[in-house]
Structures are given as C-alpha cells and as structure tokens.
Amino acid sequence: MRKYLSVILFFCLAKWWHQTADPTSLRWLLSPTDVAVSAATGSTSSWHPALGYYHPSLSMAIDASCSGFNFLLIAFLLLSYLLLRRFERWRVLPLALIAAYPLTIIANSSRILTILLTGAGPSLVSAGVWHEAQGAFIYLFTLVVTSLSLYYYLPRLGGKFSSLA
C-alpha cells in the first residue's frame, strides 16, 4: 500500500510544481516534441522563453500548455500501477517514470500533428472544443493501447525480468 501512496504523493507534488511552470521549465518536454513536429512538417521554429517554440509557417506555438506534462503524470500513474501489480517492488517506479517520458513525446507529437492535419474541424464545433476533443482522443487511445499491451505482455515475460520481482 505504501508503494501506491508514494506514487500518489509524487503525482500531487508534480501537479503542484506544474502550476507555476513556464515554457523554460518545461523545455525538457517541449524540445523533443518540437523536433518531432519540425521533422514531420518541415517547419522551423524559434525559441521564445515566454512563449515556447513558435512555428511562423504553421502559425502555431508549442507552449507550456502543449507540453504534455499532465499526460506524463497520467502515463506514470498507469505504468506504476501495472508494474507494481506485476512485480511488487519499489524499483519499478523509476522505470515507470522513464517509460512514461518517450510515451509522452510520442503521444504529444501525434496530438499536435493530428490537429495540424485536420485543421479547424467541423463547422458545428468551435476550434477550441475540436482541439480539446482531438487531444483527449489521442491521449486516451495511447493510454488504452499501452495498458492493453502491458496487460498482455507483462505476464508473458516470465523470468526475463526476475531481477525486478
């Protein structure tokens, strides 16, 4: 039970820190996302400390709200739960955090690229609502696929990761 409480405590402390985080504090999440978006679109960006990465050709900024930090925390919660259920050891918690990072970059880059590809969305829905709906769908899809994959593969790993058990 203490392992799960420590995960929740980490989550709460990270959320508290995130309330005051600016783009510079979140650059460790924004930069790889910007690299992926730039590579996929061929757009170049410039860094602005108060704004984040601005893409003039796309008329878009990847700012603190686009960092994916909340997704990182949710992915960490999911991975922690699944790994603790399987291995029941504290040492899986750093693994959960490390695994949540690339998952966040992939999901966040996919979210931004999907929004760029689909544009403003249906005329009956405001651009802001469409933006939020697409983001929620991409994030939920990523979490469900990750969860189902781990739920399927973790029991099949057997003794391959016996040092974690």
Side-chain angles (χ1 to χ4, degrees):
M1 181 57 127
R2 281 186 270 172
K3 292 177 273 241
Y4 294 106
L5 290 175
S6 65
V7 169
I8 292 169
L9 176 63
F10 176 81
F11 174 84
C12 292
L13 289 173
K15 284 294 287 177
W16 176 70
W17 172 81
H18 184 246
Q19 289 178 347
T20 59
D22 60 357
T24 302
S25 303
L26 293 166
R27 199 166 182 179
W28 56 278
L29 276 172
L30 294 171
S31 183
T33 301
D34 178 64
V35 168
V37 169
S38 294
T41 62
S43 171
T44 57
S45 66
S46 57
W47 171 254
H48 301 277
L51 180 63
Y53 289 96
Y54 179 66
H55 290 259
S57 63
L58 302 173
S59 298
M60 176 196 75
I62 302 175
D63 63 8
S65 67
C66 295
S67 70
F69 189 80
N70 289 319
F71 179 84
L72 175 76
L73 291 180
I74 293 169
F76 169 69
L77 288 175
L78 171 71
L79 294 170
S80 295
Y81 173 73
L82 292 172
L83 290 172
L84 283 172
R85 270 189 64 208
R86 172 67 174 104
F87 298 109
E88 300 178 2
R89 297 279 185 218
W90 289 88
R91 63 187 110 178
V92 299
L93 295 180
L95 179 62
L97 189 57
I98 291 167
Y101 182 73
L103 187 64
T104 300
I105 302 305
I106 291 167
N108 205 35
S109 300
S110 299
R111 175 181 163 259
I112 292 169
L113 291 171
T114 302
I115 290 167
L116 287 173
L117 289 173
T118 59
S123 60
L124 297 175
V125 179
S126 73
V129 171
W130 183 246
H131 179 86
E132 292 293 325
Q134 284 181 297
F137 177 78
I138 295 291
Y139 286 155
L140 182 61
F141 177 80
T142 304
L143 290 172
V144 168
V145 168
T146 300
S147 177
L148 292 174
S149 299
L150 285 175
Y151 191 76
Y152 178 80
Y153 286 109
L154 280 178
R156 286 158 178 74
L157 293 176
K160 293 180 183 177
F161 293 99
S162 59
S163 63
L164 292 175

